[in-house]
Amino acid sequence: MQSPAGPLRKVTWRAVALSAVVLLVTTACTATPLPTPTTTAPSAAPAPTATFNFGTGSEPMGFDPALVADTESYRVSRQVLEGLVTIDPVTSAPAPSLATKWTELDNGLGYSFDLRPDVKFQDGTAFDAAAVCTNFQRWYTLPPDIRGDGSATMFKQVFRGFADEPEYTIYQGCSVDGPLKVTLSLKVRLTDFLQALTLPAFAISSPAALTAGTANVLDEQFSGKKISRYAQHPVGTGPFTFTSATVGAVTMNAYPNYWGEKGEIKTLNFKTFDQPDTRFAALDEGSIDGFDPVTPGNFDKLIKNGKQVLQRDPFSVVYLGINQKIPVLADLKVREAIAGSIDKATLVSNYFIAGTAATAQFIPPKLSGFNNAVEGIPYDPAKAKAVLAASSYKGEELKFYYPTNAARPYLPLPEKVYAQIAANLTATGFNIKPVPIPWNEGYVPAVTGNEDHALSLLGWNGSYADPDNFVGPLFGSPTKLLGMDDPQLVSKITRARSIPDGPDRVAAYEAISKQLAATVPAVPLAFPISALALSSRVVFYPLSPVLNEVFNKVKLAPAPQ
């Protein structure tokens, strides 16, 4: 892996298809106001007519992105809801969306946004500055009974706290400066603030719909999770309106009054297939037009059957979580023995798409903060046994949580990955108790909402090109997932995210990477390559390493005459 040529690494995102290569180059973002892109007037384009069916590997957990952050929930909400800024598909810099331009104020302590005129929510109400502040006020004041400890919400991961946590939060407020002008204020500088606003969690909902759907009252159920009535039917400004959701299927339709490009798809259906073979069969027989994710076992079959396979460049990390609230796991030697027991090379070779790289770090090598000097703890069974023998571990049972009946872009075969890691740990001398939990029956709440798990298998898909997006959510504040108490590390991450882009910021994140490798609060396993499959009907798909894939951008081959 190469060293950075300057203070910031240039990030290159690549997508490989059978018949084409799409090159996406990512550079550092800028706070300079960007011009409004030229868009085709809605009346100039023909109305969408196509039906498009897309297969997914697991059920979404809900449709209120303020409260859920899983890949499949975001896949749906991206179609319906939009934020102030989006991600430029070529540069990855923040680009205009519901805001047409912005200005940095007070050396990063505030940002003034000019909002797009003549935009309406899908319920017919007007999008304006008051709507923006209503959403930010809702996120800031989320009550504890619906947010839990907040660790699973993007608002806390970005702003570090809510209104009732004044000692932690860096959010200052939102002010309406005119019908289409708004200012967001911070207590301290946040260098990646604009990039963070591209997260689906900061998409703007209709205030009227939030009220009508009692968005802060979780009195309904979906996919094993308590949700609000609003979360069953989100209302935004996006290219598709939410129609219905049942077990295994989500349907939406093109929004006829969308301000931007409507695209070719009139009806969009997401269908869940939790097994790789059923996803492959559905595509092969033509009942779906594509699916995500591709697993290693069906990669070659897809190619042999003439399907398109698009690979996203690695922008995620899969890891083994270690819960230090379990007394014996507070012993560094025990954590070192765990890390030294895992055969990452075999994991990557057997259970991930070719090109996936094993890693000892959480920050991908294409971002500033990846530290070339950090090698981590190598796989060494003999040494792992010796380290374990010298530790405080006396054969205590360790509950190992892992998801089943799901495939994630960062974890296509969770049961098999668990099985190998458990075998490695058992060979070293650990007493492992398997705790399989179906993804759709609350796996994420189980590992983030209680403290009885010892080990857990999870991953993180990057949402924007900044190192804080990888280390901040996992280590920037205390969580029940890892049960760690390291104020020094939290302080380092808090400081690093406020340093302006340049050599000092790079050095700060490199130091964080070094500390994480030395203290082993979790074991990074790999930077997975994810892939999706498409039928020949699709001539363009808006592939994105951060999964910013909105289906009004899909281009289809003309229907046969």
Side-chain angles (χ1 to χ4, degrees):
M1 298 177 181
Q2 297 179 344
S3 299
L8 286 175
R9 286 185 175 87
K10 182 177 287 186
V11 182
T12 304
W13 288 346
R14 183 181 66 254
V16 182
L18 297 182
S19 59
V21 175
V22 181
L23 188 64
L24 306 178
V25 179
T26 300
T27 59
C29 98
T30 173
T32 303
L34 299 175
T36 304
T38 302
T39 58
T40 303
S43 60
T49 58
T51 296
F52 195 82
N53 300 313
F54 193 83
T56 65
S58 61
E59 295 275 2
M61 296 178 66
F63 307 109
D64 181 353
L67 297 177
V68 294
D70 63 291
T71 300
E72 297 309 334
S73 297
Y74 274 180
R75 195 192 302 274
V76 172
S77 68
R78 286 184 192 274
Q79 317 304 321
V80 178
L81 302 164
E82 298 174 304
L84 296 178
V85 292
T86 187
I87 300 170
D88 186 288
V90 176
T91 68
S92 91
S97 182
L98 292 178
T100 58
K101 62 180 181 179
W102 48 84
T103 303
E104 181 179 321
L105 308 172
D106 300 329
N107 194 30
L109 293 181
Y111 286 82
S112 175
F113 295 87
D114 289 354
L115 305 182
R116 190 174 297 278
D118 303 319
V119 174
K120 288 189 179 296
F121 290 104
Q122 294 148 358
D123 58 6
T125 58
F127 165 76
D128 57 15
V132 173
C133 285
T134 296
N135 277 262
F136 271 88
Q137 182 66 12
R138 182 211 170 200
W139 303 329
Y140 181 49
T141 59
L142 282 174
D145 62 330
I146 71 167
R147 74 183 195 227
D149 70 354
S151 61
T153 68
M154 292 297 107
F155 188 90
K156 182 163 185 176
Q157 291 183 13
V158 172
F159 295 105
R160 295 298 190 257
F162 299 93
D164 57 356
E165 301 172 317
E167 69 275 29
Y168 298 118
T169 187
I170 67 168
Y171 177 76
Q172 184 69 40
C174 177
S175 64
V176 174
D177 304 325
L180 294 175
K181 197 172 186 67
V182 67
T183 296
L184 296 174
S185 302
L186 305 171
K187 293 180 180 179
V188 297
R189 176 187 174 87
L190 181 58
T191 300
D192 62 344
F193 177 66
L194 288 172
Q195 288 180 308
L197 288 187
T198 67
L199 287 165
F202 300 119
I204 306 300
S205 294
S206 159
L210 290 171
T211 299
T214 55
N216 286 358
V217 179
L218 308 186
D219 53 359
E220 302 287 340
Q221 288 274 341
F222 185 85
S223 191
K225 185 178 176 65
K226 289 183 178 182
I227 65 171
S228 68
R229 285 189 293 115
Y230 174 77
Q232 291 186 325
H233 196 104
V235 178
T237 60
F240 293 93
T241 59
F242 193 92
T243 303
S244 65
T246 58
V247 175
V250 177
T251 298
M252 55 192 70
N253 290 296
Y255 176 34
N257 297 318
Y258 181 53
W259 61 267
E261 177 186 355
K262 291 188 177 66
E264 301 176 24
I265 297 172
K266 178 181 180 181
T267 302
L268 175 60
N269 298 307
F270 292 120
K271 301 182 178 182
T272 301
F273 302 87
D274 60 18
Q275 297 301 317
D277 289 344
T278 58
R279 290 195 295 277
F280 172 84
L283 180 63
D284 200 44
E285 70 187 17
S287 61
I288 58 175
D289 300 292
F291 70 77
D292 183 22
V294 171
T295 56
N298 59 30
F299 194 101
D300 290 342
K301 289 193 297 182
L302 287 162
I303 293 175
K304 290 178 182 178
N305 284 39
K307 307 303 180 185
Q308 301 179 76
V309 177
L310 305 185
Q311 287 185 206
R312 303 180 184 94
D313 240 21
F315 206 65
S316 63
V317 61
V318 60
Y319 62 89
L320 177 69
I322 302 175
N323 181 12
Q324 293 184 45
K325 288 295 184 182
I326 304 299
V328 73
L329 296 182
D331 184 342
L332 176 58
K333 287 187 179 296
V334 175
R335 302 198 302 275
E336 289 175 338
I338 290 172
S341 300
I342 300 173
D343 184 357
K344 297 179 185 179
T346 299
L347 276 177
V348 165
S349 176
N350 289 349
Y351 308 125
F352 292 88
I353 292 173
T356 293
T359 184
Q361 300 184 55
F362 285 89
I363 298 174
K366 296 176 182 180
L367 292 180
S368 59
F370 181 85
N371 191 332
N372 286 292
V374 171
E375 297 180 354
I377 298 174
Y379 172 55
D380 188 333
K383 185 175 181 179
K385 288 180 181 180
V387 172
L388 185 63
S391 76
S392 61
Y393 183 72
K394 303 301 179 187
E396 294 90 339
E397 180 180 83
L398 300 178
K399 293 181 180 179
F400 190 159
Y401 282 48
Y402 65 98
T404 63
N405 299 334
R408 320 301 295 163
Y410 55 73
L411 189 58
L413 298 169
E415 295 94 339
K416 292 184 178 180
V417 171
Y418 157 77
Q420 186 195 298
I421 294 175
N424 289 160
L425 295 175
T426 300
T428 297
F430 288 101
N431 178 10
I432 299 298
K433 179 181 180 179
V435 183
I437 300 178
W439 182 269
N440 297 332
E441 294 180 15
Y443 177 73
V444 172
V447 297
T448 59
N450 68 65
E451 297 176 339
D452 83 322
H453 62 283
L455 306 173
S456 58
L457 190 59
L458 261 177
W460 178 261
N461 200 95
S463 300
Y464 53 90
D466 191 271
D468 185 65
N469 185 231
F470 284 84
V471 298
L474 294 176
F475 310 108
S477 60
T479 67
K480 292 182 179 180
L481 175 66
L482 302 178
M484 57 186 292
D485 183 13
D486 191 341
Q488 182 193 47
L489 177 61
V490 171
S491 178
K492 284 184 176 181
I493 293 173
T494 300
R495 174 181 173 271
R497 67 204 307 256
S498 67
I499 300 173
D501 285 331
D504 290 345
R505 195 167 193 259
V506 172
Y509 280 107
E510 287 180 345
I512 290 167
S513 291
K514 182 178 180 180
Q515 181 168 339
L516 290 173
T519 57
V520 202
V523 182
L525 303 173
F527 295 125
I529 288 178
S530 66
L532 58 88
L534 299 167
S535 72
S536 58
R537 183 188 182 205
V538 182
V539 297
F540 174 78
Y541 181 89
L543 197 70
S544 167
V546 298
L547 307 181
N548 185 33
E549 298 166 355
V550 185
F551 282 64
N552 65 319
K553 303 295 184 182
V554 171
K555 305 299 180 186
L556 303 174
Q561 300 295 319

